Amino acid sequence: GQQLNQSPQSMFIQEGEDVSMNCTSSSIFNTWLWYKQDPGEGPVLLIALYKAGELTSNGRLTAQFGITRKDSFLNISASIPSDVGIYFCAGRYNNNDMRFGAGTRLTVKP
Amino acid sequence: EAGVVQSPRYKIIEKKQPVAFWCNPISGHNTLYWYRQNLGQGPELLIRYENEEAVDDSQLPKDRFSAERLKGVDSTLKIQPAELGDSAVYLCASSQDYSSYNEQFFGPGTRLTVL
């Protein structure tokens, strides 16, 4: 099946540091998406990537769609306390069916 | 614009009891999804509706789970009877349609605890 391996599982960083997390799969996806989930809330879309090799930024966030279409990474620059949360990658296949990774839990120490 | 609304936000029940979750999608969104999110995991799709039709329920445990979306607007997900392993967050999402370029918007979820 379309299993996603997301790493790292958790990160503890100091405010101001850069963060990098990634997602890999043995399957090809048409779209890669990155979501953030705050406690007690549903996931919120951060970045969507539609083409292999695509590099997209959203403020301090940058994400890339791997050339092989089997991986993606998300970078957060100059982290701030409100970046705390769980970040999920998701690969989309078919039209709008998505498979989610297990998440990366980010803790930012002031 | 109001987002996806779910209720209740929390539910605690004893095993073998029935439970129901309600979702009101964003106005005008034709596609509605129910996901289950186990602790420490990402969401997993249970069922997808196109208007009032359940077009993908392959991951829905049909022996105890049922869902409906009467009139193609709000939806109810039911578990009867609940088991200990059903403890999870149940998320509802909606999108304008099933196109790959339409974002899915998630509700806050219902956290179910089965004792």
Side-chain angles (χ1 to χ4, degrees):
Chain A
Q2 292 98 342
Q3 298 298 320
L4 299 188
N5 300 307
Q6 187 170 350
S7 64
Q9 279 189 320
S10 61
M11 301 183 74
F12 296 82
I13 62 169
Q14 206 73 34
E15 182 177 359
E17 291 183 351
D18 297 342
V19 172
S20 184
M21 58 192 79
N22 67 80
C23 218
T24 61
S25 174
S26 59
S27 301
I28 290 174
F29 290 97
N30 300 325
T31 306
W32 281 95
L33 307 105
W34 286 92
Y35 288 82
K36 183 186 180 210
Q37 187 173 27
D38 292 326
E41 299 297 329
V44 174
L45 182 64
L46 299 174
I47 291 181
L49 303 153
Y50 300 102
K51 295 180 183 178
E54 179 181 352
L55 183 71
T56 296
S57 293
N58 179 7
R60 294 177 296 105
L61 278 60
T62 301
Q64 185 158 30
F65 190 146
I67 290 290
T68 64
R69 296 169 60 192
K70 295 181 179 180
D71 63 319
S72 178
F73 72 75
L74 174 71
N75 288 341
I76 306 173
S77 63
S79 58
I80 58 178
S82 62
D83 290 334
V84 166
I86 303 177
Y87 291 79
F88 290 98
C89 63
R92 189 152 59 190
Y93 57 101
N94 296 334
N95 281 332
N96 213 347
D97 293 326
M98 292 194 295
R99 180 78 61 178
F100 285 83
T104 294
R105 183 180 295 273
L106 178 64
T107 302
V108 180
K109 292 178 279 189
Chain B
E1 179 181 308
V4 176
V5 178
Q6 290 188 248
S7 68
R9 294 295 308 274
Y10 304 92
K11 189 73 177 179
I12 301 174
I13 61 171
E14 293 191 344
K15 63 182 180 181
K16 299 185 182 179
Q17 295 299 306
V19 65
F21 315 123
W22 177 80
C23 171
N24 192 15
I26 292 173
S27 177
H29 280 194
N30 297 323
T31 307
L32 183 146
Y33 313 77
W34 281 103
Y35 289 86
R36 176 168 59 191
Q37 185 175 22
N38 293 317
L39 188 64
Q41 299 296 319
E44 295 178 324
L45 181 70
L46 291 174
I47 189 169
R48 171 171 61 87
Y49 279 92
E50 297 289 334
N51 298 304
E52 67 276 7
E53 183 181 358
V55 292
D56 183 0
D57 62 355
S58 57
Q59 302 304 312
L60 190 73
K62 298 182 182 61
D63 56 337
R64 297 182 300 107
F65 285 65
S66 64
E68 61 183 12
R69 191 184 183 198
L70 301 176
K71 301 181 182 178
V73 181
D74 54 350
S75 175
T76 302
L77 177 69
K78 298 178 182 177
I79 309 175
Q80 183 171 11
E83 297 179 351
L84 295 177
D86 295 331
S87 294
V89 175
Y90 291 82
L91 293 164
C92 179
S94 70
S95 63
Q96 190 167 356
D97 57 37
Y98 188 46
S99 165
S100 60
Y101 289 93
N102 283 326
E103 179 182 349
Q104 291 186 28
F105 293 87
F106 285 83
T110 296
R111 180 175 296 276
L112 173 67
T113 301
V114 182
L115 303 176

Short mmCIF file of all heavy atoms in Angstrom, two decimals, chain A residues 2-4 6 23-25 27-35 49 65 69-72 88-101, chain B residues 35 104:
data_model
loop_
_atom_site.label_atom_id
_atom_site.label_comp_id
_atom_site.label_asym_id
_atom_site.label_seq_id
_atom_site.Cartn_x
_atom_site.Cartn_y
_atom_site.Cartn_z
N GLN A 2 0.20 2.42 0.04
CA GLN A 2 0.94 3.66 -0.01
C GLN A 2 1.32 4.10 1.40
O GLN A 2 0.74 5.04 1.95
CB GLN A 2 0.10 4.76 -0.69
CG GLN A 2 -0.15 4.52 -2.16
CD GLN A 2 -1.50 3.92 -2.44
OE1 GLN A 2 -2.11 3.37 -1.54
NE2 GLN A 2 -1.96 4.02 -3.66
N GLN A 3 2.32 3.43 1.99
CA GLN A 3 2.77 3.77 3.33
C GLN A 3 3.77 4.92 3.26
O GLN A 3 4.64 4.96 2.39
CB GLN A 3 3.42 2.56 3.98
CG GLN A 3 2.49 1.38 4.17
CD GLN A 3 1.32 1.71 5.09
OE1 GLN A 3 1.48 2.40 6.09
NE2 GLN A 3 0.14 1.23 4.74
N LEU A 4 3.64 5.86 4.19
CA LEU A 4 4.55 6.98 4.27
C LEU A 4 5.39 6.87 5.53
O LEU A 4 4.86 6.59 6.60
CB LEU A 4 3.79 8.31 4.30
CG LEU A 4 2.92 8.65 3.10
CD1 LEU A 4 2.41 10.07 3.21
CD2 LEU A 4 3.69 8.48 1.81
N GLN A 6 7.61 9.06 7.92
CA GLN A 6 7.91 10.44 8.23
C GLN A 6 8.94 10.49 9.35
O GLN A 6 8.83 9.77 10.35
CB GLN A 6 6.64 11.18 8.67
CG GLN A 6 6.83 12.67 8.86
CD GLN A 6 5.52 13.40 9.06
OE1 GLN A 6 4.43 12.85 8.87
NE2 GLN A 6 5.61 14.66 9.43
N CYS A 23 9.63 13.04 4.42
CA CYS A 23 8.67 11.96 4.25
C CYS A 23 9.12 11.13 3.04
O CYS A 23 9.44 11.70 1.99
CB CYS A 23 7.30 12.57 3.97
SG CYS A 23 5.96 11.70 4.74
N THR A 24 9.14 9.81 3.19
CA THR A 24 9.50 8.94 2.09
C THR A 24 8.47 7.83 1.94
O THR A 24 7.77 7.48 2.89
CB THR A 24 10.89 8.30 2.30
OG1 THR A 24 10.84 7.51 3.49
CG2 THR A 24 11.97 9.35 2.42
N SER A 25 8.41 7.29 0.73
CA SER A 25 7.46 6.22 0.46
C SER A 25 8.01 5.33 -0.62
O SER A 25 8.86 5.73 -1.40
CB SER A 25 6.12 6.82 0.02
OG SER A 25 5.24 5.79 -0.39
N SER A 27 5.91 4.19 -2.74
CA SER A 27 4.92 4.44 -3.79
C SER A 27 5.07 5.85 -4.35
O SER A 27 5.57 6.75 -3.68
CB SER A 27 3.51 4.27 -3.24
OG SER A 27 3.32 2.97 -2.72
N ILE A 28 4.61 6.03 -5.56
CA ILE A 28 4.61 7.34 -6.21
C ILE A 28 3.31 8.06 -5.88
O ILE A 28 2.24 7.47 -5.90
CB ILE A 28 4.74 7.17 -7.73
CG1 ILE A 28 6.15 6.68 -8.08
CG2 ILE A 28 4.43 8.47 -8.47
CD1 ILE A 28 6.33 6.34 -9.55
N PHE A 29 3.43 9.35 -5.59
CA PHE A 29 2.26 10.17 -5.35
C PHE A 29 2.17 11.30 -6.38
O PHE A 29 3.17 11.76 -6.91
CB PHE A 29 2.29 10.75 -3.94
CG PHE A 29 2.08 9.71 -2.87
CD1 PHE A 29 3.16 9.14 -2.22
CD2 PHE A 29 0.80 9.30 -2.54
CE1 PHE A 29 2.96 8.17 -1.25
CE2 PHE A 29 0.60 8.34 -1.57
CZ PHE A 29 1.69 7.76 -0.92
N ASN A 30 0.93 11.74 -6.64
CA ASN A 30 0.71 12.82 -7.60
C ASN A 30 0.93 14.19 -6.98
O ASN A 30 1.24 15.16 -7.66
CB ASN A 30 -0.70 12.75 -8.16
CG ASN A 30 -0.95 11.44 -8.87
OD1 ASN A 30 -0.07 10.89 -9.51
ND2 ASN A 30 -2.17 10.93 -8.76
N THR A 31 0.67 14.26 -5.69
CA THR A 31 0.77 15.51 -4.95
C THR A 31 1.32 15.21 -3.57
O THR A 31 1.00 14.17 -2.99
CB THR A 31 -0.63 16.16 -4.79
OG1 THR A 31 -1.25 16.31 -6.06
CG2 THR A 31 -0.53 17.52 -4.11
N TRP A 32 2.15 16.13 -3.06
CA TRP A 32 2.60 16.04 -1.67
C TRP A 32 2.06 17.26 -0.94
O TRP A 32 2.05 18.37 -1.46
CB TRP A 32 4.12 16.03 -1.57
CG TRP A 32 4.73 14.70 -1.87
CD1 TRP A 32 5.22 14.28 -3.07
CD2 TRP A 32 4.93 13.62 -0.97
NE1 TRP A 32 5.70 13.00 -2.96
CE2 TRP A 32 5.55 12.57 -1.68
CE3 TRP A 32 4.66 13.43 0.40
CZ2 TRP A 32 5.88 11.35 -1.09
CZ3 TRP A 32 5.00 12.23 0.98
CH2 TRP A 32 5.61 11.20 0.24
N LEU A 33 1.58 17.02 0.29
CA LEU A 33 1.04 18.11 1.09
C LEU A 33 1.64 18.06 2.48
O LEU A 33 1.99 16.99 2.98
CB LEU A 33 -0.49 18.00 1.19
CG LEU A 33 -1.23 17.88 -0.13
CD1 LEU A 33 -1.72 16.46 -0.35
CD2 LEU A 33 -2.42 18.83 -0.19
N TRP A 34 1.75 19.23 3.07
CA TRP A 34 2.22 19.32 4.46
C TRP A 34 1.17 20.05 5.29
O TRP A 34 0.68 21.12 4.90
CB TRP A 34 3.55 20.07 4.53
CG TRP A 34 4.69 19.23 4.04
CD1 TRP A 34 5.18 19.17 2.77
CD2 TRP A 34 5.46 18.31 4.82
NE1 TRP A 34 6.21 18.27 2.70
CE2 TRP A 34 6.42 17.72 3.95
CE3 TRP A 34 5.45 17.92 6.16
CZ2 TRP A 34 7.34 16.77 4.38
CZ3 TRP A 34 6.38 16.98 6.59
CH2 TRP A 34 7.30 16.42 5.70
N TYR A 35 0.79 19.43 6.41
CA TYR A 35 -0.22 19.95 7.32
C TYR A 35 0.40 20.19 8.69
O TYR A 35 1.36 19.54 9.09
CB TYR A 35 -1.37 18.97 7.51
CG TYR A 35 -2.29 18.80 6.33
CD1 TYR A 35 -1.97 17.95 5.27
CD2 TYR A 35 -3.50 19.48 6.28
CE1 TYR A 35 -2.83 17.80 4.19
CE2 TYR A 35 -4.37 19.33 5.21
CZ TYR A 35 -4.03 18.48 4.18
OH TYR A 35 -4.88 18.33 3.11
N LEU A 49 2.26 20.63 -3.03
CA LEU A 49 3.23 20.52 -4.12
C LEU A 49 2.65 19.62 -5.19
O LEU A 49 2.23 18.50 -4.89
CB LEU A 49 4.54 19.92 -3.58
CG LEU A 49 5.18 20.69 -2.42
CD1 LEU A 49 6.01 19.75 -1.56
CD2 LEU A 49 6.04 21.81 -2.96
N PHE A 65 8.98 18.77 -3.54
CA PHE A 65 8.43 17.53 -4.08
C PHE A 65 9.60 16.80 -4.72
O PHE A 65 10.21 17.29 -5.66
CB PHE A 65 7.38 17.89 -5.12
CG PHE A 65 6.52 16.76 -5.61
CD1 PHE A 65 5.19 17.01 -5.94
CD2 PHE A 65 7.00 15.48 -5.80
CE1 PHE A 65 4.37 16.01 -6.44
CE2 PHE A 65 6.19 14.48 -6.27
CZ PHE A 65 4.87 14.74 -6.60
N ARG A 69 9.20 11.45 -7.03
CA ARG A 69 7.79 11.52 -6.61
C ARG A 69 7.49 10.62 -5.43
O ARG A 69 6.33 10.37 -5.09
CB ARG A 69 6.85 11.18 -7.78
CG ARG A 69 6.93 12.18 -8.91
CD ARG A 69 6.21 11.72 -10.16
NE ARG A 69 4.80 11.49 -9.92
CZ ARG A 69 4.00 10.86 -10.78
NH1 ARG A 69 4.49 10.40 -11.91
NH2 ARG A 69 2.73 10.70 -10.50
N LYS A 70 8.57 10.13 -4.77
CA LYS A 70 8.39 9.24 -3.64
C LYS A 70 8.80 9.89 -2.32
O LYS A 70 8.82 9.23 -1.28
CB LYS A 70 9.21 7.95 -3.83
CG LYS A 70 8.75 7.10 -5.00
CD LYS A 70 9.60 5.85 -5.10
CE LYS A 70 9.13 4.96 -6.24
NZ LYS A 70 9.95 3.73 -6.34
N ASP A 71 9.16 11.16 -2.35
CA ASP A 71 9.57 11.80 -1.11
C ASP A 71 9.35 13.31 -1.15
O ASP A 71 9.17 13.90 -2.23
CB ASP A 71 11.03 11.51 -0.81
CG ASP A 71 11.96 12.05 -1.88
OD1 ASP A 71 11.62 11.96 -3.08
OD2 ASP A 71 13.01 12.60 -1.51
N SER A 72 9.36 13.90 0.04
CA SER A 72 9.19 15.34 0.17
C SER A 72 9.82 15.79 1.48
O SER A 72 9.93 14.99 2.42
CB SER A 72 7.70 15.71 0.16
OG SER A 72 7.52 17.11 0.34
N PHE A 88 2.34 16.98 9.66
CA PHE A 88 2.05 15.76 8.90
C PHE A 88 2.35 15.97 7.43
O PHE A 88 1.96 16.98 6.85
CB PHE A 88 0.58 15.35 9.02
CG PHE A 88 0.18 14.85 10.38
CD1 PHE A 88 -0.44 15.71 11.28
CD2 PHE A 88 0.42 13.54 10.74
CE1 PHE A 88 -0.81 15.25 12.53
CE2 PHE A 88 0.04 13.08 12.00
CZ PHE A 88 -0.58 13.94 12.89
N CYS A 89 3.01 14.98 6.83
CA CYS A 89 3.07 14.95 5.37
C CYS A 89 1.91 14.09 4.90
O CYS A 89 1.40 13.24 5.63
CB CYS A 89 4.39 14.37 4.89
SG CYS A 89 4.69 12.65 5.37
N ALA A 90 1.49 14.33 3.70
CA ALA A 90 0.43 13.53 3.08
C ALA A 90 0.72 13.40 1.60
O ALA A 90 1.09 14.38 0.95
CB ALA A 90 -0.95 14.14 3.32
N GLY A 91 0.57 12.20 1.09
CA GLY A 91 0.71 11.97 -0.34
C GLY A 91 -0.66 11.76 -0.93
O GLY A 91 -1.49 11.06 -0.34
N ARG A 92 -0.91 12.39 -2.05
CA ARG A 92 -2.21 12.25 -2.68
C ARG A 92 -2.09 11.39 -3.92
O ARG A 92 -1.21 11.59 -4.75
CB ARG A 92 -2.78 13.62 -3.04
CG ARG A 92 -4.23 13.58 -3.50
CD ARG A 92 -4.95 14.88 -3.19
NE ARG A 92 -4.35 16.03 -3.83
CZ ARG A 92 -4.68 17.29 -3.55
NH1 ARG A 92 -5.59 17.55 -2.65
NH2 ARG A 92 -4.09 18.29 -4.17
N TYR A 93 -2.99 10.42 -4.03
CA TYR A 93 -3.06 9.54 -5.19
C TYR A 93 -4.50 9.56 -5.68
O TYR A 93 -5.38 10.10 -5.03
CB TYR A 93 -2.63 8.12 -4.83
CG TYR A 93 -3.42 7.49 -3.71
CD1 TYR A 93 -4.44 6.57 -3.98
CD2 TYR A 93 -3.18 7.82 -2.39
CE1 TYR A 93 -5.18 5.99 -2.96
CE2 TYR A 93 -3.92 7.25 -1.36
CZ TYR A 93 -4.91 6.34 -1.65
OH TYR A 93 -5.65 5.77 -0.63
N ASN A 94 -4.78 9.01 -6.83
CA ASN A 94 -6.10 9.16 -7.44
C ASN A 94 -6.44 10.65 -7.51
O ASN A 94 -5.58 11.46 -7.75
CB ASN A 94 -7.15 8.38 -6.67
CG ASN A 94 -6.90 6.88 -6.69
OD1 ASN A 94 -6.27 6.37 -7.61
ND2 ASN A 94 -7.38 6.17 -5.70
N ASN A 95 -7.64 11.02 -7.25
CA ASN A 95 -8.00 12.44 -7.30
C ASN A 95 -7.68 13.14 -6.00
O ASN A 95 -6.77 13.97 -5.93
CB ASN A 95 -9.49 12.60 -7.64
CG ASN A 95 -9.74 12.42 -9.12
OD1 ASN A 95 -8.87 12.68 -9.92
ND2 ASN A 95 -10.92 11.97 -9.47
N ASN A 96 -8.43 12.83 -4.96
CA ASN A 96 -8.22 13.53 -3.70
C ASN A 96 -8.11 12.57 -2.53
O ASN A 96 -8.42 12.92 -1.40
CB ASN A 96 -9.36 14.53 -3.46
CG ASN A 96 -8.89 15.76 -2.70
OD1 ASN A 96 -7.79 15.79 -2.15
ND2 ASN A 96 -9.72 16.79 -2.68
N ASP A 97 -7.66 11.31 -2.81
CA ASP A 97 -7.40 10.37 -1.72
C ASP A 97 -6.01 10.65 -1.18
O ASP A 97 -5.06 10.76 -1.94
CB ASP A 97 -7.49 8.94 -2.24
CG ASP A 97 -8.89 8.57 -2.67
OD1 ASP A 97 -9.85 9.05 -2.03
OD2 ASP A 97 -9.03 7.81 -3.63
N MET A 98 -5.90 10.74 0.12
CA MET A 98 -4.61 11.07 0.75
C MET A 98 -4.19 9.99 1.71
O MET A 98 -5.02 9.36 2.37
CB MET A 98 -4.73 12.39 1.51
CG MET A 98 -4.92 13.60 0.62
SD MET A 98 -4.64 15.14 1.52
CE MET A 98 -5.97 15.08 2.71
N ARG A 99 -2.88 9.82 1.81
CA ARG A 99 -2.28 8.94 2.80
C ARG A 99 -1.39 9.83 3.66
O ARG A 99 -0.54 10.55 3.13
CB ARG A 99 -1.46 7.86 2.13
CG ARG A 99 -0.79 6.90 3.06
CD ARG A 99 -1.74 5.88 3.60
NE ARG A 99 -2.34 5.05 2.55
CZ ARG A 99 -3.19 4.06 2.77
NH1 ARG A 99 -3.56 3.80 4.00
NH2 ARG A 99 -3.68 3.36 1.79
N PHE A 100 -1.55 9.76 4.98
CA PHE A 100 -0.80 10.60 5.90
C PHE A 100 0.37 9.86 6.53
O PHE A 100 0.29 8.65 6.79
CB PHE A 100 -1.70 11.11 7.04
CG PHE A 100 -2.65 12.20 6.63
CD1 PHE A 100 -3.86 11.90 6.02
CD2 PHE A 100 -2.34 13.53 6.88
CE1 PHE A 100 -4.74 12.91 5.66
CE2 PHE A 100 -3.21 14.54 6.53
CZ PHE A 100 -4.41 14.23 5.91
N GLY A 101 1.44 10.61 6.81
CA GLY A 101 2.51 10.08 7.64
C GLY A 101 2.08 10.11 9.09
O GLY A 101 0.99 10.59 9.43
N TYR B 35 -12.48 10.70 8.79
CA TYR B 35 -11.20 10.08 9.08
C TYR B 35 -11.18 9.64 10.54
O TYR B 35 -11.83 10.23 11.39
CB TYR B 35 -10.05 11.10 8.89
CG TYR B 35 -9.74 11.50 7.48
CD1 TYR B 35 -10.43 12.55 6.85
CD2 TYR B 35 -8.71 10.88 6.77
CE1 TYR B 35 -10.11 12.94 5.57
CE2 TYR B 35 -8.38 11.27 5.48
CZ TYR B 35 -9.09 12.30 4.89
OH TYR B 35 -8.77 12.70 3.61
N GLN B 104 -8.78 19.93 1.15
CA GLN B 104 -9.67 19.38 2.15
C GLN B 104 -9.52 20.23 3.42
O GLN B 104 -8.42 20.46 3.90
CB GLN B 104 -9.32 17.93 2.48
CG GLN B 104 -9.60 16.96 1.35
CD GLN B 104 -9.38 15.52 1.76
OE1 GLN B 104 -9.51 15.17 2.93
NE2 GLN B 104 -9.04 14.67 0.80
#
